[in-house]
Amino acid sequence: MATKEKKPMSKFYTGDSSEESSSSDEEELYSDDDEAAAVPSEAGSDDSDDDSDSESDSDEDGKGKTGANKFLKSDDEESEESSDEERPTVVKSAKDKRFEELESTIKSIENAGKINDWAHISSEFDKLNRQVVKLVQAETTPKIYVKAIADLEDFMNETIAKQKVSTKKMNATNSRGLNAVKQRIKKNNKDYAKEIESYREDQDAYMESEDDEPAAPVAKKARKSQPALDADETGDDEGFATVGRGGKALQYTSESLLKNLRIIMESRGKKNTDRAEQIRVMEKLNEVALTPYQKIRVLLALISTRFDSTTGSASYMSQEQWRLAEQEFGSLLELLREHPNMPVLESAEEWEDDEKLPNPGPEELLKIPGSIVSFVERLDDELTRSLQHIDPHTVEYLDRLVDEGALYTNIVKGMQYVEALARDTRFGTSQESINRVVIRRLEHVYFKPSLVVRILEENTWIAIPTPLESEVTPRQNMESNALVHTLCTYLYKHSDGIIRARAMLCHIYFLALHDQYYRARDMMLMSHLQETINNFDINTQILYNRTLVQVGLCAFRAGLIYDAQSSLQDICGSGRQKELLAQGIMIQRYSQVSPEQERLERQRQLPFHMHINLELLECIYLTCSMLLEIPLLAQTGSSPDIRKRVISKTYRRMLEYHERQIFTGPPENTRDHVMQASKALAAGEWKKSIDFIHSIKIWELIAQPERIKKMLSEQIQEEGLRTYLFTYAPFYDTLSVSVLASLFELSEVKVAAVVSKMISHEELGAALDQVNSAIIFRKGVELSRLQSLALTLSDKASGLIESNERTLEQRTQGTANAFDRNAQQGGRGGGGGRGRGRGDGRGPRGGGGQGGDRRPGGFQFTGGAIGGRSAVRT
């Protein structure tokens, strides 16, 4: 064997014999092997001998290796390590580990009792009770625990007895710990009184009769090398395994399922949580789940985690994740239907023991915490949010809209499940849960045509198994009218507040959509929602606006022009149709809208397929306003009182703007068509007006456009006749009905009816001669052009006088003695004939001012030329 040449060592590394002996003594304390191998050094030995010994030892250990070879393993070392690997590894079950933890805590309590450390005993006693809970749930109470609490109670009693006779007081910390143990152990030992009594009767026999000894740990040999996991075990096609902390491969089994599930659920909502990884783990747990309870627990957690994958209102759930959540929700409802003894309830308590699975009997209930209604609402909200963000003019929107059918099916299934829970009084399901699901179902059908609702219902009942039935909507081919009526009637009886109001608005909307105007109008008036709608939330107010607009459109389709204009006036007259109907955001240049308000406004927007066509809405509103305003404008020449009456300010403003234009080109949009039609109708060219109205292309979007155009033609002919009579009545003494009939292409009966109606409403000063079929006008009733202008001038002068008086009253407020006869000369209004200017005191005084006295009603009277009758509001 090669030897190394001795080299002189530095004095820094040399030491005397005392240092060497002390180091050897320390080595003897910490290692038995070193003690056997250690050779005591003799006192007075040379430093060179010690160096040579150490070098020879290093030569023997290194076996002549130099350089990098010192750090490489030899064959003998590898054989030793392989023999270590072949040694049996002890694998302990969770039960054995818990027994060891229990014994360790009991040992700690005993050690603390020897030194009388009651603060430590108190904390360890609490820990002991927490550890034994899981063992008690799994099987009977461990005997070592009974022995520990019994001995602790005896030791506590001895300590208390000693303290009573001892002169030395216990310190504050120990005293608090002793009192805490005293309070807790009495309460705790009551639950184990029988076991403690048996133990105290015969301690040895009680401990020897222990039959719940933990099984001996099974020894198995560890593998020399870890083989690559199969794709079936890891879920990876390339053979890679999922590793956790420490580099160990993670294996998910049904035994550790609840434990892994609890770890995932506890990490929800924390920062730096990989939600995608959590979803993958729970998908694997769903695959290894064996019992129905495990599957239900995993599905509940998995669906909730998928919903957590999107955070904030700016993002929405991806279509893939939503469809997976919808399928898992359907699987969950199927499992719950097959196992009715495992209901999912919001009031249920969670199962605490992760090691032992519950095993309920056939008739025993196992309540699982969760909420089916919340899942239904969240699926609906996520679909709505995605439809809000997707461009409606793309194929992606249509593809996303297809998912509404699957969602509606799950809503009906969820409704049936909640109904089944409500029928069983043991579950204590509230009526509110059913109402929440029913209103969600109603909100998916109220805005759809009958044909679409019928197809949706047929596909839904085909996907639902035959045994499943619903008490609210039984399995039969219900018409859409009957379905909506049934759902709304159910909510009228069993709900109140917002849900009841929304159900009523949905019912009215559906009736108006299907041309049942009078029923919709009566329900709207009888509901009195117009009086209380401001007290509801914004979403309900939006639904109210939509319903009001739909009622107006229904009235227009029925030919009720005045009713249609009255219904649409509040929405269309404001110029904020987009905002009021939640179909867009109107950002004005100088508006002070915070980002938070804008974000909330965007969240309230309706999906595109629920929109009401705003261009059609504006066209109908302007057309109705034209048919009402043009005859009213023609009537102002004969009756000055009518001048103050304005039906639509928006229409008047547009008409005035159009008349101010110097050059008017051909109509380009809907508004231009209506304005030029109005101008033609006012001039008596009713045929030209009809052509302008019919040339609007938006009528093709309404149901039965030909019928609508025909109705509009008749309305324009009648209003043209009224406009003609209002305009030219002062120039006629008599007018033949047949002439009017031929002029407006109406039947004589229709002309006579229109004229009679105008006469009865005192709109026209005339009489109808039925014998000669003529209209006889009364002269002196209608005013001439000069008379109308004179009255207009008089009105303006009166308005100017009133304005001056109001200005005077405002300037004299607070000066009650301004017109007092004892006031100083030259005061404002102090004297003078009319008391209207600055007086200089030379005119005659007014009679008897009232000074500063205050009269009832909040008026203060002042003196002056008009004798104290000038009232100033204070």
Side-chain angles (χ1 to χ4, degrees):
M1 181 176 65
T3 59
K4 294 180 64 178
E5 185 180 356
K6 185 193 299 184
K7 296 180 181 180
M9 293 186 62
S10 173
K11 292 182 179 182
F12 180 81
Y13 294 99
T14 60
D16 56 4
S17 60
S18 62
E19 293 176 354
E20 295 174 1
S21 62
S22 63
S23 63
S24 64
D25 292 338
E26 291 176 359
E27 291 176 356
E28 289 175 4
L29 289 173
Y30 287 103
S31 174
D32 294 338
D33 295 339
D34 294 339
E35 182 182 359
V39 178
S41 61
E42 297 178 358
S45 62
D46 296 332
D47 296 339
S48 60
D49 295 339
D50 296 336
D51 294 340
S52 62
D53 293 340
S54 62
E55 287 180 2
S56 63
D57 293 340
S58 65
D59 290 340
E60 291 175 1
D61 295 339
K63 295 182 181 180
K65 296 180 181 179
T66 59
N69 293 330
K70 283 187 176 184
F71 303 100
L72 299 178
K73 294 181 179 180
S74 63
D75 296 337
D76 296 337
E77 292 173 345
E78 291 182 357
S79 63
E80 289 176 2
E81 290 182 1
S82 63
S83 63
D84 292 340
E85 290 180 357
E86 291 177 356
R87 293 174 186 172
T89 302
V90 177
V91 179
K92 297 180 181 180
S93 64
K95 177 182 175 183
D96 298 334
K97 292 179 181 178
R98 288 181 178 175
F99 264 100
E100 288 184 359
E101 293 175 357
L102 193 70
E103 291 174 352
S104 175
T105 306
I106 293 173
K107 186 67 176 175
S108 178
I109 292 176
E110 292 176 355
N111 293 336
K114 293 177 182 178
I115 60 174
N116 207 26
D117 187 359
W118 283 99
H120 186 70
I121 291 174
S122 176
S123 62
E124 291 296 311
F125 180 65
D126 294 339
K127 180 180 177 182
L128 180 69
N129 289 331
R130 289 195 300 268
Q131 291 173 346
V132 82
V133 169
K134 297 181 180 179
L135 291 172
V136 171
Q137 290 179 352
E139 52 189 51
T140 58
T141 307
K143 302 285 176 61
I144 56 173
Y145 174 73
V146 175
K147 175 180 179 299
I149 60 177
D151 293 344
L152 181 60
E153 186 178 11
D154 296 339
F155 179 64
M156 180 195 68
N157 294 331
E158 293 176 4
T159 303
I160 293 174
K162 290 179 182 179
Q163 285 295 317
K164 290 182 179 179
V165 298
S166 175
T167 58
K168 186 178 181 180
K169 298 295 182 180
M170 190 179 294
N171 60 34
T173 305
N174 275 349
S175 179
R176 285 195 298 268
L178 178 62
N179 292 332
V181 173
K182 179 181 177 182
Q183 293 174 0
R184 295 171 190 163
I185 201 168
K186 288 183 178 181
K187 183 178 179 181
N188 181 74
N189 287 9
K190 288 181 181 178
D191 300 332
Y192 307 100
K194 187 176 180 181
E195 290 86 348
I196 293 174
E197 184 179 356
S198 302
Y199 167 74
R200 286 175 176 169
E201 288 177 357
D202 193 349
Q203 298 182 5
D204 296 334
Y206 180 80
M207 299 303 295
E208 289 176 358
S209 65
E210 186 172 4
D211 54 355
D212 56 346
E213 286 292 336
V218 180
K220 67 176 183 179
K221 291 185 178 181
R223 297 179 182 177
K224 291 184 179 180
S225 61
Q226 180 68 30
L229 297 177
D230 296 335
D232 295 338
E233 297 176 356
T234 63
D236 195 339
D237 295 335
E238 298 181 1
F240 291 98
T242 305
V243 295
R245 295 179 180 177
K248 296 182 180 180
L250 298 177
Q251 294 183 353
Y252 302 105
T253 61
S254 61
E255 289 78 10
S256 62
L257 185 143
L258 295 181
K259 183 178 180 181
N260 292 325
L261 200 61
R262 182 179 294 277
I263 294 174
I264 293 174
M265 297 306 292
E266 288 177 353
S267 64
R268 284 183 64 189
K270 295 183 179 179
K271 292 183 179 180
N272 302 325
T273 302
D274 190 354
R275 295 185 177 87
E277 179 63 25
Q278 288 183 345
I279 291 175
R280 286 193 292 270
V281 170
M282 281 193 284
E283 287 175 347
K284 295 176 183 178
L285 293 178
N286 191 26
E287 294 175 0
V288 301
L290 299 177
T291 63
Y293 176 78
Q294 289 179 334
K295 293 180 180 179
I296 293 173
R297 285 286 303 272
V298 172
L299 286 175
L300 287 171
L302 180 56
I303 296 172
S304 300
T305 308
R306 290 196 191 277
F307 289 144
D308 292 342
S309 60
T310 56
T311 56
S313 60
S315 61
Y316 60 93
M317 198 172 180
S318 65
Q319 185 175 8
E320 179 185 2
Q321 291 292 329
W322 188 91
R323 287 181 175 175
L324 289 173
E326 182 268 329
Q327 293 172 5
E328 289 157 0
F329 181 69
S331 303
L332 175 63
L333 291 177
E334 186 69 20
L335 274 173
L336 295 175
R337 184 180 64 84
E338 294 174 356
H339 303 279
N341 62 329
M342 296 183 184
V344 174
L345 302 172
E346 297 180 6
S347 59
E349 297 181 358
E350 189 175 357
W351 182 263
E352 296 292 341
D353 191 0
D354 296 337
E355 299 295 334
K356 181 183 177 182
L357 293 175
N359 188 18
E363 300 297 331
E364 187 179 356
L365 291 178
L366 178 59
K367 299 180 180 180
I368 303 174
S371 177
I372 298 297
V373 180
S374 298
F375 284 161
V376 170
E377 293 176 339
R378 189 64 187 273
L379 282 171
D380 191 10
D381 293 340
E382 289 295 339
L383 179 61
T384 302
R385 186 183 299 177
S386 65
L387 291 174
Q388 288 174 347
H389 287 80
I390 298 174
D391 185 3
H393 304 292
T394 59
V395 180
E396 183 184 1
Y397 189 89
L398 297 177
D399 186 28
R400 197 74 181 92
L401 198 57
V402 174
D403 295 333
E404 188 180 10
L407 173 63
Y408 186 78
T409 301
N410 280 328
I411 289 176
V412 176
K413 288 182 179 179
M415 176 177 159
Q416 292 172 341
Y417 179 73
V418 177
E419 286 180 27
L421 293 181
R423 286 194 294 268
D424 196 335
T425 56
R426 296 176 297 174
F427 301 146
T429 304
S430 63
Q431 181 64 38
E432 183 183 0
S433 300
I434 304 178
N435 297 339
R436 287 162 59 189
V437 184
V438 172
I439 191 64
R440 289 282 176 168
R441 182 179 179 184
L442 178 61
E443 288 177 351
H444 275 273
V445 299
Y446 81 94
F447 63 92
K448 292 183 172 65
S450 297
L451 182 60
V452 178
V453 175
R454 188 179 67 185
I455 296 173
L456 186 64
E457 281 287 311
E458 290 176 356
N459 295 336
T460 298
W461 287 108
I462 290 173
I464 297 176
T466 306
L468 290 180
E469 291 293 341
S470 172
E471 292 183 355
V472 180
T473 55
R475 181 190 291 268
Q476 58 184 2
N477 294 327
M478 296 180 64
E479 293 294 331
S480 58
N481 293 333
L483 174 65
V484 174
H485 179 76
T486 302
L487 295 174
C488 293
T489 305
Y490 181 85
L491 292 176
Y492 295 158
K493 294 180 181 178
H494 300 92
S495 67
D496 54 3
I498 292 180
I499 294 181
R500 182 187 178 92
R502 292 185 69 86
M504 190 167 296
L505 291 172
C506 290
H507 198 179
I508 297 170
Y509 189 102
F510 186 82
L511 292 175
L513 184 65
H514 293 82
D515 295 330
Q516 300 183 37
Y517 169 72
Y518 291 104
R519 286 187 61 190
R521 182 200 63 181
D522 295 343
M523 285 189 64
M524 177 67 84
L525 295 176
M526 292 172 62
S527 66
H528 298 286
L529 286 174
Q530 61 272 16
E531 301 172 2
T532 59
I533 191 61
N534 292 326
N535 300 329
F536 292 99
D537 61 322
I538 296 180
N539 291 326
T540 306
Q541 294 180 18
I542 292 171
L543 180 58
Y544 175 82
N545 295 339
R546 286 167 51 81
T547 304
L548 193 63
V549 167
Q550 196 60 243
V551 171
L553 297 179
C554 180
F556 176 79
R557 291 192 297 269
L560 304 172
I561 302 300
Y562 181 78
D563 295 338
Q565 202 276 340
S566 300
S567 299
L568 300 177
Q569 175 64 38
D570 292 338
I571 305 299
C572 299
S574 63
R576 300 164 53 212
Q577 296 94 316
K578 278 188 178 181
E579 184 180 353
L580 295 176
L581 298 177
Q583 295 182 189
I585 299 176
M586 299 180 62
I587 302 178
Q588 300 177 0
R589 178 179 297 178
Y590 302 106
S591 63
Q592 297 178 353
V593 179
S594 64
E596 181 68 18
Q597 292 175 343
E598 184 177 351
R599 183 182 63 82
L600 294 175
E601 191 70 24
R602 293 188 184 278
Q603 288 181 3
R604 289 191 287 263
Q605 299 303 301
L606 293 174
F608 183 76
H609 67 282
M610 297 178 65
H611 284 191
I612 297 173
N613 194 312
L614 295 179
E615 187 178 357
L616 176 63
L617 182 63
E618 183 186 23
C619 179
I620 291 175
Y621 172 71
L622 293 178
T623 303
C624 293
S625 299
M626 177 193 74
L627 295 174
L628 296 176
E629 285 282 3
I630 295 301
L632 185 62
L633 289 173
Q635 191 180 3
T636 57
S638 59
S639 179
D641 296 334
I642 306 294
R643 181 177 176 81
K644 298 180 182 179
R645 181 185 171 197
V646 177
I647 296 178
S648 174
K649 292 183 179 180
T650 305
Y651 174 80
R652 288 279 183 99
R653 197 160 48 243
M654 292 180 185
L655 189 60
E656 290 174 0
Y657 174 77
H658 186 269
E659 289 178 349
R660 284 198 303 266
Q661 290 182 347
I662 300 174
F663 172 76
T664 304
E668 297 179 356
N669 52 29
T670 303
R671 187 176 299 178
D672 291 344
H673 280 86
V674 176
M675 291 300 107
Q676 294 202 14
S678 302
K679 191 174 181 180
L681 183 60
E685 300 176 350
W686 59 271
K687 289 185 179 181
K688 189 176 180 180
S689 177
I690 290 176
D691 292 338
F692 279 123
I693 295 297
H694 284 186
S695 61
I696 300 175
K697 297 181 180 180
I698 199 69
W699 300 123
E700 301 298 329
L701 300 180
I702 201 170
Q704 301 177 357
E706 295 301 325
R707 184 180 65 84
I708 298 298
K709 290 180 180 179
K710 182 180 178 182
M711 181 268 295
L712 288 174
S713 299
E714 295 175 355
Q715 292 287 342
I716 291 174
Q717 286 175 307
E718 293 182 15
E719 299 303 327
L721 173 61
R722 285 163 49 83
T723 304
Y724 183 84
L725 291 175
F726 284 137
T727 305
Y728 298 105
F731 304 96
Y732 284 101
D733 290 332
T734 59
L735 184 60
S736 174
V737 174
S738 60
V739 173
L740 290 175
S742 61
L743 185 61
F744 291 95
E745 297 182 2
L746 294 171
S747 63
E748 294 186 5
V749 177
K750 185 67 176 177
V751 172
V754 172
V755 172
S756 299
K757 187 175 181 180
M758 293 174 66
I759 294 173
S760 63
H761 290 172
E762 297 182 356
E763 295 175 345
L764 185 65
L768 183 61
D769 187 358
Q770 296 181 353
V771 176
N772 298 322
S773 185
I775 305 172
I776 303 174
F777 295 95
R778 293 198 296 269
K779 289 299 179 180
V781 178
E782 285 79 9
L783 299 178
S784 65
R785 181 67 175 170
L786 180 60
Q787 291 172 331
S788 300
L789 292 175
L791 287 175
T792 303
L793 179 62
S794 174
D795 290 340
K796 290 186 176 181
S798 300
L800 183 61
I801 293 173
E802 292 177 359
S803 176
N804 290 338
E805 288 181 351
R806 284 195 299 269
T807 305
L808 176 64
E809 292 171 359
Q810 291 175 359
R811 299 183 66 176
T812 57
Q813 255 182 341
T815 56
N817 298 323
F819 300 108
D820 193 357
R821 65 179 60 189
N822 296 325
Q824 297 179 2
Q825 292 184 0
R828 184 182 297 274
R834 294 183 180 270
R836 291 188 182 273
R838 295 179 180 269
D840 57 358
R842 289 175 295 178
R845 300 285 182 178
Q850 298 295 327
D853 297 337
R854 189 176 296 274
R855 296 293 181 90
F859 287 91
Q860 184 173 350
F861 292 89
T862 58
I866 53 177
R869 291 294 184 265
S870 177
V872 180
R873 193 70 161 170
T874 58

